[in-house]
């Protein structure tokens, strides 16, 4: 076998120009696949961070049924015990508490519906980018219990600005009685998400608890993890451990199934592109092998004439295909690593572009992974061997007379 490999390695360099062009073509295809995959991984990570860090969080805990009914009475069960467990959870980096209810907000100029969140200003800064999204006014302070933040589109509808007064109407828990309170606009935010900018408002957690009659109850515990991958691992026992006592713990894939579908779609797209690319590469390899084979028809005829078995003839062609693929893999891996690494340092600017109902808020950095330099080259090698089967069978079926005649 080693002898055949040495012969094959020498044969592919008998026509250096053709070998260089073929290896470059295959290598560039492999490099393109490595870069595209790294780009997709980076884009998915960026989209996930944008979705989770902006406001959603990487995970949430609610009372069972709250997400479907939004009933004000359904607060998180055994909250003090739950928070104590979370403080001792190494995987959890930080968390925040929220209340949530639908209400009406009115100004002297107009009125509209609003999804109101009660937040702890200090904890909320750790899990979301609400404070960074402010375009007017100031973030909620410890003392301003009668101030609230609203979205830019909602502020335009109400024709209000920081310092103006609005009246908020909500239904109290248990009794369902309507309660009205007056607030001052403390700030206006812009997330570049239509639903948030036109229909959300934030007030102090203590104020909302008093307004809704919840005492110390909350509707939502928002989680941030040390490792983003844990929040997307639906098989992790973390979600089972905290889905107890009438509560339900969910990661971002369950909270945003549309984003999970986008991730799956991108993976399918990458697979389809890889198959198409490898198919084209296979045709190129097959063409190169046939060109090499026809150039050496007299040699193949001599080999058959001196008693070389068809199987060894086929093996020789397959070894040439393998040698060509190894050279192409080295070239493609080097080009792929160099280009991807260079782009990963500078990033690609897609900031402001909307994709899957999400606005990209940061540069996209391609992510290099070990599997890109293991799986893809291995697939290239296998496709090369498959492409070499036809030329190998052709060579094995040659008779000395046919080979000599074709040479003439």
């Amino acid at each position: 076998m080693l002898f055949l490999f040495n012969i094959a390695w020498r044969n592919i360099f008998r026509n250096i120009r053709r070998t260089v062009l073929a290896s470059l073509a295959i290598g560039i295809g492999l490099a393109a696949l490595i870069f595209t995959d790294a780009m997709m991984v980076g884009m998915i990570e960026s989209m996930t961070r944008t979705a989770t860090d902006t406001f959603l969080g990487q995970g949430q805990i609610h009372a069972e049924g709250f997400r479907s009914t939004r009933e004000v009475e359904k607060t998180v069960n055994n909250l003090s015990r739950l928070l104590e467990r979370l403080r001792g959870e190494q995987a959890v980096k930080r968390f925040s508490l929220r209340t949530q209810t639908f209400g009406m907000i009115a100004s002297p100029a107009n009125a509209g519906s609003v999804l109101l969140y009660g937040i702890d200003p200090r904890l909320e800064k750790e899990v979301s980018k609400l404070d960074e999204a402010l375009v007017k006014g100031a973030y909620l302070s410890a003392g301003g219990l009668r101030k609230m933040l609203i979205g830019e589109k909602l502020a335009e509808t109400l024709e209000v600005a920081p310092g103006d007064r609005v009246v908020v109407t909500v239904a109290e828990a248990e009794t369902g009685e309507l309660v009205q309170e007056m607030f001052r606009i403390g700030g206006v935010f812009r997330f570049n998400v239509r639903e948030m900018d036109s229909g959300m408002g934030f007030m102090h957690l203590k104020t909302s608890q008093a307004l809704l009659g919840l005492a110390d109850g909350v509707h939502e515990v928002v989680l941030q993890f040390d490792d983003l991958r844990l929040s997307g691992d639906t098989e992790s026992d973390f979600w089972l451990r905290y889905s107890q006592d009438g509560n339900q713990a969910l990661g971002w894939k369950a909270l945003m199934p549309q984003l999970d579908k986008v991730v799956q779609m991108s993976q399918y797209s990458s697979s389809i592109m890889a198959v198409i690319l490898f198919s084209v590469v296979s045709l190129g390899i097959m063409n190169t092998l046939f060109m090499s084979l026809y150039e050496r028809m007299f040699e193949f005829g001599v080999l058959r004439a001196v008693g070389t078995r068809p199987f060894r003839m086929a093996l020789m062609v397959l070894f040439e295909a393998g040698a060509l693929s190894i050279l192409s893999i080295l070239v493609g891996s080097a080009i792929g690593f160099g280009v991807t690494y260079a782009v990963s340092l500078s990033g690609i600017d897609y900031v402001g572009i909307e994709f899957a109902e999400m606005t990209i808020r940061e540069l996209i950095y391609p992510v290099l992974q070990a599997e890109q330099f293991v799986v893809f080259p291995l697939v290239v090698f296998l496709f090369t061997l498959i492409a070499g089967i036809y030329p190998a069978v052709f060579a094995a079926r040659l008779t000395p007379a046919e080979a000599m005649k074709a040479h003439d």
Side-chain angles (χ1 to χ4, degrees), residues 125-158:
K125 290 178 68 174
E126 300 295 325
V127 300
S128 76
K129 295 183 178 180
L130 176 60
D131 59 320
E132 299 177 14
L134 290 177
V135 292
K136 295 179 183 178
Y139 188 61
L140 297 177
S141 62
L145 297 180
R146 289 297 170 185
K147 289 187 177 182
M148 65 180 299
L149 310 176
I150 62 173
E152 186 177 48
K153 296 295 183 182
L154 181 59
E156 292 176 1
T157 300
L158 298 175

Side-chain angles (χ1 to χ4, degrees), residues 65-84:
F66 175 76
R67 294 186 67 246
S68 59
T69 64
R70 305 291 178 179
E71 295 179 11
V72 182
E73 298 81 7
K74 290 183 178 293
T75 56
V76 175
N77 296 296
N78 297 318
L79 181 62
S80 58
R81 179 173 175 269
L82 174 66
L83 297 182
E84 184 179 351

Side-chain angles (χ1 to χ4, degrees), residues 364-392:
I364 294 176
Y365 296 91
V367 177
L368 288 167
Q369 295 180 330
E371 64 183 28
Q372 295 162 351
F373 298 90
V374 176
V375 177
F376 294 153
L378 181 60
V379 174
V380 168
F381 184 77
L382 292 176
F383 266 74
T384 303
L385 292 183
I386 293 172
I389 291 176
Y390 180 37

Side-chain angles (χ1 to χ4, degrees), residues 62 82 142 235 249 287 315 359:
H62 311 89
L82 174 66
E235 303 298 325
N287 180 63
L315 274 182
T359 302

Side-chain angles (χ1 to χ4, degrees), residues 57-61 82-97 123 126-127 221-231 236-239 241-242 249-251:
Q58 296 173 5
Q60 294 181 2
I61 301 175
L82 174 66
L83 297 182
E84 184 179 351
R85 291 177 61 192
L86 288 175
R87 292 187 184 99
E89 189 74 48
Q90 293 184 349
V92 177
K93 188 176 182 180
R94 54 181 71 94
F95 59 84
S96 183
L97 309 178
L123 295 178
E126 300 295 325
V127 300
V221 180
V222 186
L223 309 173
Q224 290 280 5
F225 295 87
D226 279 323
D227 189 348
L228 180 61
R229 289 173 294 183
L230 176 60
S231 64
S236 173
D237 65 348
F238 177 90
W239 311 113
R241 285 189 284 114
Y242 286 90
L250 299 171

Side-chain angles (χ1 to χ4, degrees), residues 328-400:
S328 302
I329 286 169
L330 293 175
V331 172
S333 297
I335 295 174
F337 178 83
V339 173
T340 305
Y341 181 74
V343 176
S344 70
L345 296 178
S346 59
I348 301 175
D349 188 2
Y350 285 157
V351 175
I353 294 178
E354 291 189 10
F355 181 73
E357 299 183 358
M358 201 174 310
T359 302
I360 297 175
R361 301 172 61 89
E362 59 184 34
L363 295 178
I364 294 176
Y365 296 91
V367 177
L368 288 167
Q369 295 180 330
E371 64 183 28
Q372 295 162 351
F373 298 90
V374 176
V375 177
F376 294 153
L378 181 60
V379 174
V380 168
F381 184 77
L382 292 176
F383 266 74
T384 303
L385 292 183
I386 293 172
I389 291 176
Y390 180 37
V393 172
F394 181 85
R397 289 180 175 178
L398 282 174
T399 63

